[in-house]
Amino acid sequence: MTEILLWLGILVALFVGYNIGGSTTGPAFGPAVGSKAISKVVAAGLMSVFFFVGAFTVGRRVVSTLGTELVSSTAIFTLEANVTVLFFIGGALFIGNFFGVPASTSMTAVGAIAGLGLAAGQLEWAVMGEIAVWWIVAPIIAFWVSGVIGRYFYARLNRRIELVQSDGPLIKIERQSVLPRVTRGPNTSTKELAGTGVVVFIGCIMAFSSGTSNIANAIAPLVGSGDLEMNTGIIIGSIAVGVGAFTIGRRTLDTLGNDLTELPLTAAIVVASVSATLVIILSLIGIPASFVIIATMSIIGLGWGRATRTTTVTGMAGDEETRVSVGALATDEGGEQLPEIGEEEPDEIPSASELFNPSTTARVVIMQNVVPLVATVGAYLTFRFVPVYGF
């Protein structure tokens, strides 16, 4: 019976890893894919490699932390309890991925473990409180930093960087000799190549950061209870993440790369830089980073800031000037279609609907709060009222 439960636990851990790959590939490489810097297949491959590197190096520390510090006693991590916790983590994440909305794996996993600890009377409230505060503060910081950049600095920044995407391939591979030679595309400028490299590099850093924190969400209960060896768990979990990145991760790449807000290359650099910086800072102070929420709120903030940027317009008689928002001007009846911020001429104005999608934003925000809540409440009710657990 014990062996059967162990194999069941591993299968559920694989399911969790699969959904982690689906939910975190979008925030890491959504900007790069949305700006057409790389394809979805390349994004999934990079996600798989750098997630494993982060998990195998720093991630083992987070596995130990999540399996010991959030609860007063690791004795509650019985094999039956581990399987149930992983089931709620994977099931809740699958709900978000099914709707194409990447849910926070850290919030979902910590919520499920907290539900177990609360039902067993072993939850460390001080640790939980510190984590929860940062989960609230960090996305707010991401939103407003990106919003300020989008509203006041984006057009100027874009003119300085001038990352206009060219037609044709970014690079080409020549196979005339024994060793293939990689060269720049026929229409690719040095600035475009460098800017694309920055976006992809930051995406790799975010994938690495995801590995450092999110591998624990799949294997921490099994490793903490001693049912699974650390290195074996990391390898198994990382493989499952890679499978999720190549399959269900395509849905979240669409949501964060295309549906939520338009992302020219300059915008992709801003979003990735803000998100990566906050995730790394949180990791350095030992907080399980709400990776998905931070990246999503950064994208929303930048889109909102760009859509609400004000400009001066002249009245019909030509003798009166008024400050209006881009959104108000773009939605004026009879108004013409306007180009995108950062790609317009200095005196042109973009369409707000192209920059900020309120309906998609509402769907993302609602689902990202519902998914962790499902895991937390479901785990608590199960461990509290199902007699088999004995808490």
Side-chain angles (χ1 to χ4, degrees):
M1 183 63 180
T2 300
E3 186 175 351
I4 294 176
L5 282 174
L6 176 59
W7 279 108
L8 180 60
I10 292 174
L11 287 175
V12 179
L14 289 172
F15 181 65
V16 173
Y18 171 80
N19 283 283
I20 289 174
S23 63
T24 59
T25 303
F29 291 100
V33 172
S35 64
K36 296 180 175 61
I38 58 175
S39 67
K40 293 179 183 179
V41 173
V42 173
L46 291 174
M47 181 70 198
S48 303
V49 171
F50 283 92
F51 183 97
F52 172 73
V53 174
F56 203 81
T57 54
V58 182
R60 60 186 65 247
R61 302 176 186 175
V62 184
V63 172
S64 300
T65 300
L66 193 58
T68 58
E69 294 186 8
L70 191 58
V71 295
S72 303
S73 173
T74 57
I76 64 174
F77 287 128
T78 63
L79 201 49
E80 294 85 353
N82 291 341
V83 171
T84 306
V85 166
L86 291 171
F87 171 79
F88 278 110
I89 296 172
L93 290 176
F94 182 78
I95 293 174
N97 289 333
F98 179 80
F99 287 99
V101 177
S104 171
T105 53
S106 292
M107 292 179 68
T108 304
V110 172
I113 295 175
L116 166 61
L118 184 61
Q122 299 292 329
L123 180 64
E124 287 286 353
W125 285 100
V127 176
M128 187 67 233
E130 183 181 4
I131 293 173
V133 167
W134 278 110
W135 281 351
I136 296 172
V137 172
I140 293 175
I141 295 174
F143 177 88
W144 283 109
V145 169
S146 299
V148 168
I149 293 174
R151 185 180 176 107
Y152 298 108
F153 303 105
Y154 183 83
R156 186 187 312 167
L157 179 64
N158 191 75
R159 284 194 294 268
R160 287 177 178 271
I161 299 177
E162 294 180 338
L163 292 177
V164 179
Q165 293 171 268
S166 60
D167 296 327
L170 188 68
I171 60 174
K172 62 179 182 178
I173 302 176
E174 297 179 352
R175 304 181 183 275
Q176 299 174 351
S177 57
V178 177
L179 296 176
R181 188 163 65 96
V182 180
T183 60
R184 207 167 52 189
N187 301 317
T188 305
S189 66
T190 302
K191 281 189 175 182
E192 181 186 2
L193 190 63
T196 301
V198 170
V199 173
V200 176
F201 173 75
I202 294 175
C204 293
I205 294 298
M206 294 181 73
F208 174 88
S209 300
S210 176
T212 64
S213 60
N214 287 326
I215 189 64
N217 303 331
I219 65 172
L222 291 174
V223 173
S225 63
D227 294 308
L228 195 64
E229 196 269 331
M230 176 75 74
N231 290 342
T232 303
I234 290 175
I235 293 172
I236 291 175
S238 297
I239 291 174
V241 168
V243 174
F246 276 99
T247 54
I248 201 170
R250 292 172 175 268
R251 294 177 63 88
T252 56
L253 280 170
D254 282 334
T255 298
L256 292 188
N258 299 313
D259 297 344
L260 197 59
T261 182
E262 295 294 326
L263 284 175
L265 206 52
T266 305
I269 290 177
V270 173
V271 168
S273 299
V274 171
S275 302
T277 300
L278 283 171
V279 169
I280 290 173
I281 290 175
L282 288 178
S283 298
L284 288 174
I285 62 177
I287 300 296
S290 185
F291 175 83
V292 172
I293 304 294
I294 292 172
T296 303
M297 292 305 293
S298 178
I299 293 174
I300 293 172
L302 183 64
W304 171 82
R306 292 164 65 199
T308 56
R309 183 169 65 93
T310 58
T311 188
T312 302
V313 295
T314 305
M316 294 296 292
D319 56 357
E320 182 180 352
E321 291 187 346
T322 306
R323 297 292 293 179
V324 298
S325 72
V326 167
L329 188 61
T331 55
D332 187 24
E333 289 189 7
E336 58 181 322
Q337 186 67 27
L338 298 167
E340 188 175 2
I341 283 183
E343 296 184 357
E344 75 275 19
E345 295 299 323
D347 58 344
E348 292 180 328
I349 304 168
S351 168
S353 62
E354 293 180 351
L355 301 177
F356 182 65
N357 190 325
S359 62
T360 303
T361 297
R363 176 169 62 92
V364 169
V365 172
I366 290 172
M367 287 301 300
Q368 287 186 341
N369 284 277
V370 168
V371 169
L373 187 63
V374 168
T376 305
V377 175
Y380 171 74
L381 293 177
T382 300
F383 291 118
R384 178 70 177 82
F385 295 106
V386 176
V388 69
Y389 297 105
F391 295 132

